[in-house]
Amino acid sequence: MFSLRSASICVVALAVNAAARPTVFTQRSTLARSDGSPLSLTFSIANDSDASDAVPYYVPLDGISYSFSVSHSSLNDGDEFGLVTVIDPGNSASFSSIQSTVSAYSSEDDVFNEAFLSTVFLRSSSSSKLSSSLISSVASKFEVNNIFASSSVPSAKGVSSAVLSSQTTIPIGPYVYRIGGPSKSASFWPVYRLYPDPQEAFLYGVTAAADGGFVRSSGNVPSAGDYTTVPVPSRLYYKESSLPLAGLRVGVKDIYDIDGLKTGCGSRAHFALYPPRNATAPAVQRLIDQGAVIVGKTKTSQFANGETATADWVDQLCPFNPRGDGYQDPSSSSSGSGAAMGAYGWLDHAIGSDTGGSIRGPAGQQGLFGIRPSHGAITLEDVMPLSDVMDTGGYFARDASSFKTFGRSWYGSTFKSFPSFPKRLMVPNDTWPVSNAASEAIFSSFISKLQTFLGAESDATGISALWTATSGVNETVQVYMNQTYATLIGAYQYDNFGLPFITDYMAANGGRAPFIDPAPKARWAYATGRGEAAFEDEGNRRVVFQDWVAKEVFKASDASCSDGILVYPQSTGRTSYRNVYFSPPTAPLGFSYGRVGPFAGVPDLVVPLGQVAYNSTISGTTEYLPVTISMVARKGCDYMLLDLISELELHGIINSVGVGKTAFTI
């Protein structure tokens, strides 16, 4: 056990510390309670005596815990903390089964460390069948000092023991424990490994609170410098769960409310003004109910508006895109979620939102799977709004299988699968081919394989030509829809979010107005300047376009949901350096294939295909940037697209991506 008697940092070691045993190298307590008891623990475990490979851990003592009554104890008296591993030996406990279990723990979990084997809790009624020889073998092999069990423990030389009983079942895995007090009760706390965030993707890390809400993590790693650290729990805690997202670690864009946490929306003034939320957005709660683990809030551009990294991000530092030379723009809005997914293998998924490209842009820049779902896929109650008719909740993944599983779990019964895939592949001649020869070769190869896989006919008709021929509108789609997006998002967000926020802030700050970043300020001014009549007119235009798409672009199919799939380039490997200055932001006018999803409410899924080389002006060497494609179908056909993408991966037509400088192995 290790001692915790003051708030100072001290060097300590486990009671048994043979050369093979990792060492608890540093340990610190944070005193916060009136009685002087610690609120949290931070310690590191190192395999080397100089702690060069030390892994930091964090234990919030006011968070989730498990309590046990203690009997038949041969432990020495004390009120100190110790490390323990909970193991279920099964109905027929044997040394080989326990050895296999420990081996699996080490290979499956990035939190577990052999140092937690200084004490073992055999969590099972089968402990009554334990033998002295088994206890001795386990103690000798794993250098165990103490063994706890659910019923009597046979005595073994050099091993202390105790019987722990409780009405609740504690999950398997590593914990910190303490036994003490007149009643000799035992408390177990889950441990979190602390990961630094050098990409500046997270606003802060979080842990689950005892009351069902969340608290901001106070854990930090001195060796991580000034970087935020993100606490992640052991994957073993969820191994016995049957929930579809059990144990998956998820980052949440900081526009979703979470009980106990502040929602900043990329604004220092907004973060400071409002207290922590007292309810969790239903979209996030659904993930939690499906077994997902929320590990932190990820950064967003201010109020989820489009911003470039160099000058538009004023209130926060824009996250760093890990791809290439590390100084490419990560794209905007869901930037933190995208950068985190491109950088950190310990993060399984991250959610964001997409109104005009806030999932698709970061997915393209970081080379990830990303989805802007059909409008209405999931409720966005208690989520900061941009446009009620275009906002959607999306997410990122690094492989097609988990992309599909996460989507089906999150969106639930909103959509359904179909027996076949569309037989018409739309490859519009007004967007293909792309000018970059290297990326065009990647696109061309994929489109050819996709067409063969589908057994589909190719349709080269562009949206512009089809609109002119069939819409009945005497304007080109570029002219007709030119101001629609800018007007709808700017006016709606200002009226329903911006103005109430400004009013609240001024009332609380003696009439002083809050700072607003250049991008949302320009967008709000443009849209409100056009007036209510223009807002209504642009809303009608969006409906006209939506109805036209449902009638002429993607027709319904009983066999495949949508009769066709549209593909367009999402990212081509073009550089977008974050140290290049641009002109001041203006209203987001115009029409492009990226606007089809927002205007028509249809799903638009990003798929990473490959990467192309470029000569970096930052590193002075050859680097690589992702090439991604968007796949679009009829509204409500989201699962058809997820099923298709999963099948494409199974057939080797597309591949999963990795983390770090390159999405694919060079």
Side-chain angles (χ1 to χ4, degrees):
M1 302 180 79
F2 53 84
S3 174
L4 177 60
R5 303 192 185 281
S6 72
S8 61
I9 298 176
C10 55
V11 178
V12 295
L14 293 172
V16 175
N17 189 28
R21 166 75 72 202
T23 301
V24 180
F25 204 83
T26 63
Q27 175 265 315
R28 178 176 57 190
S29 66
T30 302
L31 298 183
R33 297 189 180 96
S34 59
D35 63 358
S37 61
L39 186 62
S40 66
L41 304 177
T42 306
F43 61 92
S44 298
I45 297 176
N47 291 316
D48 297 329
S49 59
D50 63 356
S52 60
D53 65 344
V55 174
Y57 291 87
Y58 171 66
V59 183
L61 298 176
D62 58 345
I64 295 172
S65 64
Y66 301 87
S67 297
F68 301 86
S69 59
V70 181
S71 61
H72 305 288
S73 174
S74 62
L75 299 173
N76 295 326
D77 290 338
D79 192 21
E80 300 175 348
F81 291 89
L83 306 184
V84 60
T85 298
V86 177
I87 297 174
D88 191 327
N91 294 324
S92 56
S94 67
F95 176 70
S96 61
S97 66
I98 292 176
Q99 190 173 25
S100 296
T101 296
V102 171
S103 177
Y105 282 11
S106 297
S107 63
E108 297 172 3
D109 187 32
D110 56 344
V111 177
F112 176 76
N113 185 290
E114 287 188 6
F116 287 96
L117 292 171
S118 62
T119 298
V120 170
F121 176 23
L122 298 176
R123 182 215 68 181
S124 173
S125 58
S126 64
S127 57
S128 59
K129 302 176 183 178
L130 300 176
S131 65
S132 295
S133 61
L134 173 61
I135 297 300
S136 297
S137 296
V138 170
S140 174
K141 171 65 177 178
F142 301 114
E143 302 169 16
V144 175
N145 302 322
N146 310 307
I147 289 186
F148 303 150
S150 302
S151 57
S152 61
V153 183
S155 61
K157 184 178 180 180
V159 180
S160 299
S161 64
V163 174
L164 307 185
S165 57
S166 174
Q167 297 299 312
T168 59
T169 300
I170 185 172
I172 60 173
Y175 293 84
V176 159
Y177 78 96
R178 180 169 60 178
I179 295 178
S183 62
K184 280 289 186 181
S185 62
S187 295
F188 283 52
W189 291 272
V191 296
Y192 295 80
R193 179 172 177 171
L194 291 174
Y195 280 103
D197 175 29
Q199 303 306 126
E200 304 275 6
F202 282 85
L203 189 64
Y204 53 80
V206 306
T207 58
D211 63 1
F214 289 82
V215 293
R216 182 172 178 172
S217 168
S218 62
N220 62 77
V221 183
S223 61
D226 292 331
Y227 294 134
T228 294
T229 56
V230 181
V232 301
S234 169
R235 295 190 185 278
L236 300 174
Y237 300 152
Y238 312 93
K239 190 174 181 179
E240 297 167 309
S241 172
S242 60
L243 294 173
L245 303 181
L248 293 183
R249 301 162 181 169
V250 178
V252 176
K253 183 178 182 179
D254 188 33
I255 64 170
Y256 289 82
D257 287 353
I258 297 180
D259 185 14
L261 304 177
K262 285 195 170 192
T263 303
C265 305
S267 163
R268 295 170 66 209
H270 190 278
F271 188 90
L273 178 63
Y274 297 111
R277 301 308 196 207
N278 57 16
T280 295
V284 176
Q285 187 60 51
R286 177 165 177 80
L287 293 176
I288 296 169
D289 293 343
Q290 296 290 306
V293 179
I294 308 304
V295 299
K297 282 286 197 88
T298 57
K299 288 181 181 177
T300 174
S301 55
Q302 195 175 77
F303 310 133
N305 282 269
E307 297 183 320
T308 56
T310 308
D312 294 344
W313 286 69
V314 179
D315 261 1
Q316 294 178 353
L317 179 64
C318 176
F320 286 84
N321 183 343
R323 306 305 191 191
D325 52 38
Y327 281 85
Q328 300 299 310
D329 195 299
S331 191
S332 198
S333 192
S334 302
S335 317
S337 289
M341 282 296 293
Y344 306 136
W346 47 262
L347 184 68
D348 299 307
H349 294 281
I351 67 170
S353 62
D354 190 307
T355 305
S358 300
I359 286 285
R360 293 165 292 161
Q365 292 297 96
Q366 267 82 202
L368 302 166
F369 293 87
I371 179 174
R372 176 205 161 81
S374 294
H375 185 258
I378 195 162
T379 176
L380 294 180
E381 178 185 351
D382 297 327
V383 181
M384 186 216 69
L386 197 59
S387 166
D388 61 333
V389 295
M390 292 187 288
D391 288 346
T392 61
Y395 63 94
F396 300 98
R398 288 187 293 267
D399 67 273
S401 177
S402 68
F403 191 43
K404 173 181 174 179
T405 299
F406 191 91
R408 284 182 167 275
S409 300
W410 199 21
Y411 302 139
S413 60
T414 305
F415 311 114
K416 65 178 184 178
S417 292
F418 286 77
S420 62
F421 298 121
K423 299 301 182 184
R424 182 168 64 97
L425 183 61
M426 289 172 271
V427 189
N429 56 18
D430 55 359
T431 193
W432 299 105
V434 299
S435 58
N436 184 319
S439 57
E440 173 57 28
I442 295 173
F443 285 129
S444 180
S445 174
F446 169 75
I447 291 172
S448 176
K449 292 176 182 177
L450 175 61
Q451 184 177 352
T452 299
F453 179 82
L454 294 173
E457 295 181 357
S458 180
D459 182 351
T461 307
I463 286 283
S464 298
L466 187 62
W467 169 270
T468 299
T470 63
S471 69
V473 176
N474 293 323
E475 289 181 316
T476 65
V477 67
Q478 287 81 6
V479 172
Y480 188 73
M481 304 297 292
N482 181 51
Q483 300 179 85
T484 303
Y485 182 77
T487 303
L488 293 183
I489 65 163
Y492 185 87
Q493 186 177 60
Y494 181 76
D495 288 345
N496 293 275
F497 174 81
L499 182 58
F501 160 57
I502 292 171
T503 301
D504 289 348
Y505 187 90
M506 293 179 70
N509 290 275
R512 295 180 179 86
F515 173 79
I516 306 296
D517 271 2
K521 190 172 185 178
R523 293 176 173 207
W524 292 352
Y526 173 83
T528 56
R530 293 199 69 204
E532 292 184 10
F535 179 80
E536 183 176 353
D537 177 59
E538 297 299 346
N540 291 334
R541 290 175 183 236
R542 190 203 64 80
V543 172
V544 168
F545 183 85
Q546 175 180 268
D547 293 345
W548 172 77
V549 167
K551 179 182 178 182
E552 300 292 345
V553 182
F554 303 113
K555 296 180 173 63
S557 168
D558 292 337
S560 58
C561 188
S562 176
D563 75 318
I565 295 173
L566 167 70
V567 293
Y568 71 92
Q570 183 57 235
S571 63
T572 62
R574 180 178 61 87
T575 58
S576 179
Y577 291 103
R578 63 184 291 151
N579 65 334
V580 174
Y581 287 93
F582 299 90
S583 57
T586 58
L589 303 175
F591 176 84
S592 67
Y593 278 93
R595 291 278 191 260
V596 174
F599 291 155
V602 299
D604 185 334
L605 280 65
V606 179
V607 179
L609 302 180
Q611 57 199 10
V612 294
Y614 72 102
N615 295 318
S616 170
T617 62
I618 302 296
S619 67
T621 62
T622 298
E623 306 282 5
Y624 296 84
L625 290 177
V627 174
T628 64
I629 198 167
S630 264
M631 302 175 67
V632 189
R634 184 178 174 85
K635 185 176 183 179
C637 298
D638 303 55
Y639 287 175
M640 179 275 290
L641 287 175
L642 286 173
D643 289 343
L644 171 60
I645 291 169
S646 180
E647 286 296 314
L648 293 177
E649 185 175 71
L650 288 173
H651 284 78
I653 296 174
I654 59 174
N655 296 290
S656 61
V657 298
V659 296
K661 290 172 62 64
T662 60
F664 299 94
T665 302
I666 299 174

